[in-house]
Amino acid sequence: MDILLALVPALFWGTLLLVSSKLGGKAHHQLVGMTFGALLFAIGIYLFKQPELSTTIWIAGIVSGVCWALGQYNQFSAVQYLGVSRTVPISTGMQLVVTTLFGVIVFGEWSTTTSVILGIIAIVLLIIGVVCTVVEDKQANTQGTQISGGSQMKKGIVHLVISTVGFVGYVIILRWFEVDGWAAILPQAIGMVLGGLLLTLKHKPFNKYTFRNILTGAWWGAGNLALLLSIPLIGVATSFSLSQTGTIISTLGGIFLLNERKSKRQMVFVIIGCLLIVVGGVMIGFTKE
């Protein structure tokens, strides 16, 4: 059951960028709408559960939420340069490497020889998988589009590096202070709203697209709750890695639902990459002690 719980974020987050892309708006509209949706979700959860909130929980939760806003805003920005089917796999690979290093080295996860061997093999498979999903097909491009594509890629990667810092901070801070998942929901959502407003206020982020994206906030909140509850059960490295297998949904959804074009050669690599991600995700599940 612990592993199944950790897979819930994969379903919700794997469809998140697809839903937000369909709802429309620029990165600042999507971010602010999502944060307010997440706040409404958090208030509902708090009224239902009413966990005790200490000063440490409030501070850690708010800082974690601000980190999330930084990560999500830059991921939305990267989509404008790379598209969903490329942004998500690259972002996944970056987050997996950094988060796993923290989980294993700082928090001492994967303490047995078997878990270390399985974990390393799994992470290698996951990284190879996400690399496969972003393979270029130079033969299908003209020289001009290659240059343009290279420029777009560089801009997208910059956003994804910043995004990774934010997303990793969002997960690690709560783990560091051992904040319970239920208790973190409301403070974290408040931090998300504060971070979202600070990052986007100069863009005047409130319009019809902002209100549309409130729906994605509740969608994200459901996945976030499952992740936060799974972390103390199976650890940062395992729970976060399993949550990232939603990249399969995002990648294929970007191609088939958002019509992001791929050549036959790229499609072959995408399918191989998705299969490797699934295998890697399952293997990570077996690293649980």
Side-chain angles (χ1 to χ4, degrees), residues 40-114:
L40 291 175
F41 180 89
I43 292 173
I45 291 295
Y46 179 78
L47 293 176
F48 171 77
K49 189 71 175 178
Q50 295 187 350
E52 183 178 348
L53 301 178
S54 66
T55 301
T56 299
I57 292 174
W58 275 109
I59 294 175
I62 290 173
V63 173
S64 172
V66 171
C67 287
W68 177 90
L70 177 66
Q72 191 61 60
Y73 179 62
N74 280 279
Q75 189 180 72
F76 278 142
S77 299
V79 169
Q80 298 176 18
Y81 295 105
L82 305 176
V84 172
S85 63
R86 299 178 74 185
T87 293
V88 175
I90 298 173
S91 180
T92 298
M94 290 179 173
Q95 292 176 55
L96 281 170
V97 171
V98 181
T99 305
T100 301
L101 287 176
F102 267 96
V104 174
I105 297 174
V106 178
F107 299 127
E109 299 175 1
W110 298 358
S111 57
T112 67
T113 302
T114 301

Coordinates of all heavy atoms in Angstrom, one line a residue, residues 40-114:
L40 N -7.1 26.7 -1.5 CA -8.4 26.3 -1.2 C -8.5 24.8 -0.8 O -9.2 24.5 0.1 CB -9.3 26.6 -2.5 CG -9.6 28.0 -2.8 CD1 -10.3 28.1 -4.1 CD2 -10.3 28.7 -1.7
F41 N -7.7 24.0 -1.5 CA -7.6 22.6 -1.2 C -7.1 22.4 0.2 O -7.6 21.6 1.0 CB -6.7 21.9 -2.2 CG -6.6 20.4 -2.0 CD1 -7.5 19.5 -2.6 CD2 -5.5 19.9 -1.2 CE1 -7.3 18.1 -2.4 CE2 -5.4 18.6 -1.0 CZ -6.3 17.7 -1.6
A42 N -6.0 23.2 0.5 CA -5.4 23.0 1.8 C -6.3 23.4 3.0 O -6.3 22.8 4.0 CB -4.1 23.9 1.9
I43 N -7.1 24.5 2.7 CA -8.0 24.9 3.8 C -9.1 23.8 4.0 O -9.4 23.5 5.2 CB -8.7 26.2 3.3 CG1 -7.7 27.4 3.3 CG2 -9.9 26.6 4.3 CD1 -8.3 28.7 2.8
G44 N -9.5 23.2 3.0 CA -10.5 22.1 3.1 C -9.9 20.9 3.9 O -10.5 20.4 4.8
I45 N -8.6 20.6 3.6 CA -7.9 19.5 4.3 C -7.8 19.9 5.8 O -8.0 19.0 6.7 CB -6.6 19.2 3.6 CG1 -6.8 18.6 2.3 CG2 -5.7 18.3 4.5 CD1 -7.4 17.2 2.3
Y46 N -7.4 21.1 6.0 CA -7.2 21.5 7.4 C -8.5 21.5 8.2 O -8.4 21.0 9.4 CB -6.6 23.0 7.5 CG -6.4 23.5 8.9 CD1 -5.3 23.1 9.6 CD2 -7.3 24.3 9.5 CE1 -5.1 23.5 10.9 CE2 -7.1 24.8 10.8 CZ -6.0 24.3 11.5 OH -5.8 24.7 12.8
L47 N -9.6 21.9 7.7 CA -10.8 21.9 8.4 C -11.2 20.4 8.7 O -11.9 20.1 9.7 CB -11.9 22.5 7.6 CG -11.8 24.1 7.4 CD1 -12.9 24.6 6.5 CD2 -11.8 24.8 8.7
F48 N -10.8 19.5 7.8 CA -11.2 18.1 8.0 C -10.3 17.4 9.0 O -10.7 16.7 9.9 CB -11.1 17.4 6.7 CG -11.2 15.9 6.8 CD1 -12.4 15.2 7.0 CD2 -10.0 15.1 6.7 CE1 -12.5 13.9 7.1 CE2 -10.1 13.7 6.8 CZ -11.3 13.1 7.0
K49 N -9.0 17.7 8.9 CA -8.0 17.0 9.8 C -7.6 17.8 11.0 O -7.4 17.2 12.1 CB -6.7 16.8 8.9 CG -5.7 15.9 9.6 CD -6.2 14.4 9.7 CE -5.1 13.5 10.3 NZ -5.6 12.1 10.4
Q50 N -7.5 19.1 10.9 CA -7.1 20.0 12.0 C -5.8 19.6 12.8 O -5.9 19.3 14.0 CB -8.3 20.2 13.0 CG -9.4 20.9 12.3 CD -10.5 21.2 13.3 OE1 -10.5 20.8 14.5 NE2 -11.5 22.0 12.9
P51 N -4.7 19.5 12.1 CA -3.5 19.0 12.7 C -2.9 20.2 13.6 O -3.2 21.3 13.4 CB -2.5 18.7 11.6 CG -3.0 19.7 10.5 CD -4.5 19.7 10.6
E52 N -2.1 19.8 14.6 CA -1.4 20.8 15.4 C -0.3 21.5 14.6 O 0.5 20.8 14.1 CB -0.9 20.2 16.7 CG -0.3 21.2 17.6 CD 0.2 20.5 18.9 OE1 -0.2 19.3 19.2 OE2 0.9 21.2 19.7
L53 N -0.3 22.8 14.6 CA 0.7 23.5 13.8 C 1.7 24.3 14.8 O 1.3 25.3 15.4 CB 0.0 24.5 12.9 CG -0.9 23.9 11.8 CD1 -1.6 24.9 11.0 CD2 -0.2 22.8 11.0
S54 N 2.9 23.8 14.9 CA 3.9 24.5 15.7 C 4.6 25.6 14.9 O 4.4 25.7 13.7 CB 4.9 23.5 16.2 OG 5.7 23.0 15.1
T55 N 5.4 26.4 15.5 CA 6.2 27.5 14.9 C 7.1 26.9 13.8 O 7.2 27.4 12.7 CB 7.0 28.3 15.9 OG1 6.1 28.8 16.9 CG2 7.8 29.4 15.2
T56 N 7.7 25.7 14.1 CA 8.6 25.1 13.2 C 7.9 24.6 11.9 O 8.3 24.8 10.8 CB 9.3 23.8 13.8 OG1 10.1 24.3 14.9 CG2 10.2 23.1 12.8
I57 N 6.7 24.1 12.1 CA 5.9 23.6 11.0 C 5.5 24.8 10.1 O 5.5 24.7 8.9 CB 4.6 22.9 11.5 CG1 5.0 21.5 12.2 CG2 3.6 22.6 10.4 CD1 3.9 20.8 12.8
W58 N 5.1 25.9 10.7 CA 4.7 27.1 10.0 C 5.8 27.6 9.1 O 5.7 27.8 7.9 CB 4.2 28.2 10.9 CG 2.7 28.1 11.2 CD1 2.2 27.7 12.4 CD2 1.6 28.3 10.4 NE1 0.8 27.7 12.4 CE2 0.4 28.1 11.1 CE3 1.5 28.7 9.0 CZ2 -0.8 28.2 10.6 CZ3 0.2 28.8 8.5 CH2 -0.9 28.6 9.3
I59 N 7.0 27.7 9.7 CA 8.2 28.3 9.0 C 8.6 27.3 7.9 O 8.8 27.7 6.8 CB 9.3 28.6 10.0 CG1 8.9 29.7 11.0 CG2 10.6 29.0 9.2 CD1 9.9 29.9 12.1
A60 N 8.8 26.0 8.3 CA 9.3 25.1 7.3 C 8.3 24.9 6.1 O 8.6 24.8 5.0 CB 9.5 23.7 8.0
G61 N 7.0 24.9 6.5 CA 5.9 24.8 5.5 C 5.9 26.0 4.5 O 5.8 25.8 3.3
I62 N 6.0 27.2 5.0 CA 5.9 28.4 4.2 C 7.2 28.4 3.3 O 7.1 28.7 2.1 CB 5.8 29.6 5.1 CG1 4.4 29.7 5.7 CG2 6.1 30.9 4.2 CD1 4.2 30.8 6.7
V63 N 8.4 28.2 3.9 CA 9.6 28.2 3.0 C 9.5 27.1 1.9 O 9.9 27.4 0.8 CB 10.8 28.0 3.9 CG1 12.1 27.8 3.1 CG2 11.0 29.1 4.9
S64 N 9.0 25.9 2.3 CA 8.8 24.9 1.3 C 7.9 25.3 0.2 O 8.2 25.0 -1.0 CB 8.3 23.6 2.0 OG 7.9 22.6 1.1
G65 N 6.8 26.0 0.6 CA 5.9 26.5 -0.5 C 6.5 27.5 -1.4 O 6.2 27.5 -2.6
V66 N 7.3 28.4 -0.8 CA 8.0 29.4 -1.7 C 9.0 28.7 -2.6 O 9.0 29.1 -3.8 CB 8.8 30.4 -0.8 CG1 9.6 31.3 -1.6 CG2 7.8 31.2 0.1
C67 N 9.7 27.7 -2.1 CA 10.6 26.9 -3.0 C 9.8 26.3 -4.1 O 10.2 26.2 -5.3 CB 11.3 25.8 -2.2 SG 12.6 26.5 -1.1
W68 N 8.6 25.7 -3.8 CA 7.8 25.1 -4.8 C 7.4 26.1 -5.9 O 7.4 25.8 -7.1 CB 6.5 24.5 -4.2 CG 5.6 23.9 -5.2 CD1 5.6 22.6 -5.7 CD2 4.6 24.6 -6.0 NE1 4.6 22.5 -6.7 CE2 4.0 23.7 -6.9 CE3 4.1 25.9 -5.9 CZ2 2.9 24.1 -7.7 CZ3 3.1 26.3 -6.8 CH2 2.5 25.4 -7.7
A69 N 7.0 27.3 -5.5 CA 6.6 28.3 -6.4 C 7.7 28.7 -7.4 O 7.5 28.8 -8.6 CB 6.1 29.6 -5.7
L70 N 8.9 28.7 -6.9 CA 10.1 29.0 -7.7 C 10.2 27.9 -8.7 O 10.4 28.1 -9.9 CB 11.3 29.1 -6.9 CG 12.7 29.3 -7.6 CD1 12.7 30.6 -8.3 CD2 13.8 29.2 -6.6
G71 N 10.1 26.6 -8.3 CA 10.2 25.5 -9.2 C 9.1 25.4 -10.2 O 9.4 25.2 -11.4
Q72 N 7.9 25.6 -9.8 CA 6.8 25.5 -10.7 C 6.7 26.6 -11.8 O 6.4 26.4 -12.9 CB 5.5 25.5 -10.0 CG 4.3 25.1 -10.8 CD 4.4 23.7 -11.4 OE1 4.5 22.7 -10.7 NE2 4.4 23.6 -12.7
Y73 N 7.1 27.8 -11.3 CA 7.1 29.0 -12.2 C 8.1 28.8 -13.4 O 7.8 29.0 -14.5 CB 7.4 30.3 -11.5 CG 7.4 31.5 -12.4 CD1 6.3 31.9 -13.0 CD2 8.6 32.2 -12.5 CE1 6.3 33.1 -13.8 CE2 8.7 33.4 -13.3 CZ 7.5 33.8 -14.0 OH 7.6 34.9 -14.8
N74 N 9.2 28.3 -13.0 CA 10.3 28.1 -14.0 C 10.0 26.9 -14.9 O 10.4 26.8 -16.0 CB 11.7 28.0 -13.4 CG 12.2 29.3 -13.0 OD1 12.8 30.0 -13.8 ND2 12.0 29.7 -11.7
Q75 N 9.3 25.9 -14.3 CA 8.9 24.8 -15.2 C 7.8 25.2 -16.2 O 7.9 24.8 -17.4 CB 8.3 23.6 -14.3 CG 8.1 22.3 -15.2 CD 7.5 21.2 -14.3 OE1 6.4 21.2 -13.9 NE2 8.4 20.2 -14.0
F76 N 6.9 26.0 -15.8 CA 5.9 26.6 -16.7 C 6.6 27.4 -17.8 O 6.3 27.3 -19.0 CB 4.9 27.5 -16.0 CG 3.8 26.7 -15.3 CD1 3.3 27.2 -14.1 CD2 3.2 25.6 -15.9 CE1 2.3 26.5 -13.4 CE2 2.1 25.0 -15.3 CZ 1.7 25.4 -14.0
S77 N 7.6 28.2 -17.4 CA 8.3 29.0 -18.3 C 9.1 28.1 -19.3 O 9.2 28.5 -20.5 CB 9.3 29.9 -17.6 OG 8.7 30.8 -16.7
A78 N 9.7 27.0 -18.9 CA 10.4 26.1 -19.8 C 9.5 25.5 -20.8 O 9.9 25.3 -21.9 CB 11.1 25.0 -18.9
V79 N 8.2 25.2 -20.5 CA 7.3 24.7 -21.4 C 7.1 25.6 -22.7 O 7.0 25.1 -23.8 CB 5.9 24.4 -20.8 CG1 4.8 24.1 -21.8 CG2 6.0 23.3 -19.7
Q80 N 7.2 26.9 -22.5 CA 7.1 27.8 -23.6 C 8.2 27.7 -24.6 O 8.1 28.0 -25.7 CB 7.0 29.2 -23.0 CG 5.8 29.5 -22.1 CD 5.8 30.9 -21.5 OE1 6.4 31.8 -22.0 NE2 5.0 31.0 -20.4
Y81 N 9.4 27.2 -24.1 CA 10.5 27.0 -25.0 C 10.7 25.6 -25.5 O 11.1 25.4 -26.6 CB 11.8 27.4 -24.3 CG 11.9 28.8 -23.9 CD1 11.7 29.2 -22.6 CD2 12.2 29.8 -24.8 CE1 11.8 30.6 -22.2 CE2 12.2 31.2 -24.5 CZ 12.0 31.5 -23.2 OH 12.1 32.9 -22.8
L82 N 10.3 24.6 -24.7 CA 10.6 23.2 -25.0 C 9.3 22.4 -25.3 O 9.4 21.3 -25.9 CB 11.3 22.6 -23.9 CG 12.6 23.3 -23.4 CD1 13.2 22.5 -22.2 CD2 13.6 23.3 -24.6
G83 N 8.2 22.8 -24.9 CA 7.0 22.0 -25.0 C 6.9 21.0 -23.8 O 7.9 20.8 -23.1
V84 N 5.7 20.5 -23.5 CA 5.5 19.6 -22.4 C 6.3 18.3 -22.6 O 6.9 17.8 -21.6 CB 4.0 19.3 -22.3 CG1 3.8 18.2 -21.2 CG2 3.2 20.5 -21.9
S85 N 6.3 17.7 -23.8 CA 6.9 16.4 -24.0 C 8.4 16.4 -23.8 O 9.0 15.4 -23.7 CB 6.5 15.8 -25.4 OG 7.0 16.7 -26.4
R86 N 9.0 17.6 -23.8 CA 10.5 17.7 -23.6 C 10.8 18.2 -22.2 O 11.7 17.8 -21.6 CB 11.1 18.6 -24.7 CG 11.0 18.0 -26.1 CD 11.6 19.0 -27.1 NE 13.1 18.9 -27.1 CZ 13.8 19.7 -27.8 NH1 13.3 20.6 -28.6 NH2 15.1 19.5 -27.8
T87 N 10.0 19.2 -21.7 CA 10.2 19.8 -20.4 C 10.2 18.8 -19.3 O 11.0 18.7 -18.5 CB 9.2 20.9 -20.2 OG1 9.4 22.0 -21.1 CG2 9.3 21.4 -18.8
V88 N 9.1 18.0 -19.3 CA 8.9 17.1 -18.2 C 10.0 16.0 -18.0 O 10.5 15.8 -16.9 CB 7.5 16.4 -18.3 CG1 7.3 15.4 -17.2 CG2 6.4 17.5 -18.2
P89 N 10.4 15.3 -19.1 CA 11.5 14.3 -18.9 C 12.8 15.0 -18.5 O 13.5 14.4 -17.6 CB 11.6 13.7 -20.3 CG 10.3 13.9 -21.0 CD 9.8 15.3 -20.5
I90 N 13.2 16.1 -19.0 CA 14.4 16.7 -18.6 C 14.3 17.2 -17.1 O 15.2 16.9 -16.3 CB 14.8 18.0 -19.5 CG1 15.0 17.5 -20.9 CG2 16.0 18.7 -19.0 CD1 15.1 18.7 -21.9
S91 N 13.2 17.8 -16.8 CA 13.0 18.2 -15.4 C 13.0 17.0 -14.5 O 13.6 17.1 -13.4 CB 11.7 18.9 -15.3 OG 11.4 19.4 -14.0
T92 N 12.4 15.9 -14.9 CA 12.4 14.7 -14.1 C 13.8 14.2 -13.8 O 14.2 13.9 -12.6 CB 11.6 13.6 -14.8 OG1 10.3 14.0 -14.9 CG2 11.6 12.3 -13.9
G93 N 14.6 14.1 -14.8 CA 16.0 13.6 -14.7 C 16.8 14.5 -13.7 O 17.5 13.9 -12.8
M94 N 16.7 15.8 -13.8 CA 17.4 16.7 -12.9 C 17.0 16.5 -11.5 O 17.8 16.4 -10.6 CB 17.2 18.1 -13.3 CG 17.8 18.6 -14.6 SD 17.5 20.3 -15.0 CE 18.6 20.5 -16.5
Q95 N 15.7 16.4 -11.3 CA 15.1 16.3 -9.9 C 15.5 15.0 -9.3 O 15.8 14.9 -8.1 CB 13.6 16.5 -9.9 CG 13.2 17.9 -10.3 CD 11.7 18.0 -10.4 OE1 10.9 17.6 -9.4 NE2 11.2 18.4 -11.5
L96 N 15.5 13.9 -10.1 CA 15.8 12.6 -9.6 C 17.2 12.5 -9.1 O 17.5 12.0 -8.0 CB 15.6 11.5 -10.7 CG 14.1 11.1 -10.9 CD1 14.0 10.2 -12.2 CD2 13.6 10.3 -9.7
V97 N 18.1 13.0 -9.8 CA 19.6 12.9 -9.5 C 19.8 13.7 -8.2 O 20.4 13.2 -7.2 CB 20.4 13.5 -10.6 CG1 21.9 13.6 -10.1 CG2 20.4 12.6 -11.8
V98 N 19.4 15.0 -8.1 CA 19.7 15.8 -6.9 C 18.9 15.3 -5.7 O 19.5 15.2 -4.6 CB 19.3 17.3 -7.2 CG1 19.6 18.1 -6.0 CG2 20.1 17.8 -8.4
T99 N 17.6 15.0 -5.8 CA 16.8 14.6 -4.7 C 17.3 13.2 -4.1 O 17.4 13.0 -2.9 CB 15.3 14.4 -5.1 OG1 14.9 15.7 -5.6 CG2 14.5 14.1 -3.9
T100 N 17.7 12.3 -5.0 CA 18.2 11.0 -4.6 C 19.5 11.2 -3.8 O 19.7 10.5 -2.8 CB 18.4 10.1 -5.8 OG1 17.1 9.9 -6.4 CG2 18.9 8.7 -5.3
L101 N 20.4 12.1 -4.3 CA 21.7 12.3 -3.6 C 21.4 12.8 -2.2 O 22.1 12.4 -1.3 CB 22.5 13.3 -4.4 CG 23.1 12.8 -5.7 CD1 23.9 13.9 -6.4 CD2 24.1 11.6 -5.4
F102 N 20.5 13.7 -2.0 CA 20.1 14.2 -0.7 C 19.6 13.1 0.1 O 19.9 12.9 1.3 CB 19.1 15.3 -0.8 CG 19.7 16.7 -0.8 CD1 19.9 17.4 -2.0 CD2 20.0 17.3 0.4 CE1 20.5 18.6 -2.0 CE2 20.6 18.6 0.3 CZ 20.8 19.3 -0.9
G103 N 18.6 12.3 -0.4 CA 18.0 11.2 0.3 C 19.0 10.2 0.8 O 18.9 9.7 2.0
V104 N 19.9 9.8 -0.1 CA 20.8 8.7 0.3 C 22.0 9.2 1.1 O 22.3 8.6 2.1 CB 21.4 8.1 -1.0 CG1 22.4 7.1 -0.7 CG2 20.2 7.5 -1.8
I105 N 22.6 10.4 0.7 CA 23.8 10.8 1.4 C 23.4 11.6 2.7 O 24.0 11.3 3.8 CB 24.6 11.8 0.5 CG1 25.1 11.0 -0.7 CG2 25.8 12.4 1.3 CD1 25.8 11.9 -1.8
V106 N 22.5 12.5 2.7 CA 22.2 13.3 3.9 C 21.3 12.5 4.9 O 21.6 12.6 6.1 CB 21.5 14.6 3.5 CG1 21.1 15.4 4.7 CG2 22.4 15.4 2.5
F107 N 20.3 11.8 4.4 CA 19.3 11.2 5.3 C 19.6 9.7 5.5 O 18.9 9.0 6.2 CB 17.9 11.3 4.7 CG 17.5 12.8 4.6 CD1 17.0 13.3 3.5 CD2 17.6 13.6 5.7 CE1 16.6 14.6 3.4 CE2 17.2 15.0 5.7 CZ 16.7 15.5 4.5
G108 N 20.6 9.2 4.8 CA 21.0 7.8 5.0 C 20.1 6.7 4.5 O 20.0 5.6 5.1
E109 N 19.3 7.0 3.5 CA 18.4 6.1 2.9 C 19.2 5.1 2.0 O 20.4 5.3 1.7 CB 17.3 6.8 2.0 CG 16.5 7.7 2.9 CD 15.5 8.5 2.1 OE1 15.4 8.3 0.8 OE2 14.8 9.3 2.7
W110 N 18.6 3.9 1.7 CA 19.3 2.9 1.0 C 20.5 2.4 1.8 O 21.7 2.4 1.3 CB 19.8 3.3 -0.4 CG 18.7 3.7 -1.3 CD1 17.4 3.7 -1.1 CD2 18.9 4.2 -2.7 NE1 16.7 4.2 -2.2 CE2 17.6 4.5 -3.2 CE3 19.9 4.4 -3.5 CZ2 17.3 5.0 -4.5 CZ3 19.7 4.9 -4.8 CH2 18.4 5.2 -5.3
S111 N 20.3 2.0 3.0 CA 21.4 1.6 3.9 C 21.9 0.2 3.7 O 23.0 -0.1 4.2 CB 20.9 1.8 5.4 OG 19.8 1.0 5.6
T112 N 21.1 -0.7 3.0 CA 21.6 -2.0 2.8 C 22.3 -2.1 1.4 O 22.1 -1.3 0.5 CB 20.5 -3.0 2.8 OG1 19.6 -2.8 1.7 CG2 19.7 -2.9 4.1
T113 N 23.2 -3.1 1.3 CA 23.9 -3.3 0.0 C 22.9 -3.6 -1.1 O 23.1 -3.0 -2.2 CB 24.8 -4.5 0.1 OG1 25.7 -4.3 1.2 CG2 25.6 -4.7 -1.2
T114 N 21.9 -4.4 -0.9 CA 20.9 -4.7 -1.9 C 20.1 -3.4 -2.4 O 20.0 -3.2 -3.6 CB 19.8 -5.7 -1.4 OG1 20.5 -6.9 -1.0 CG2 18.8 -6.0 -2.4

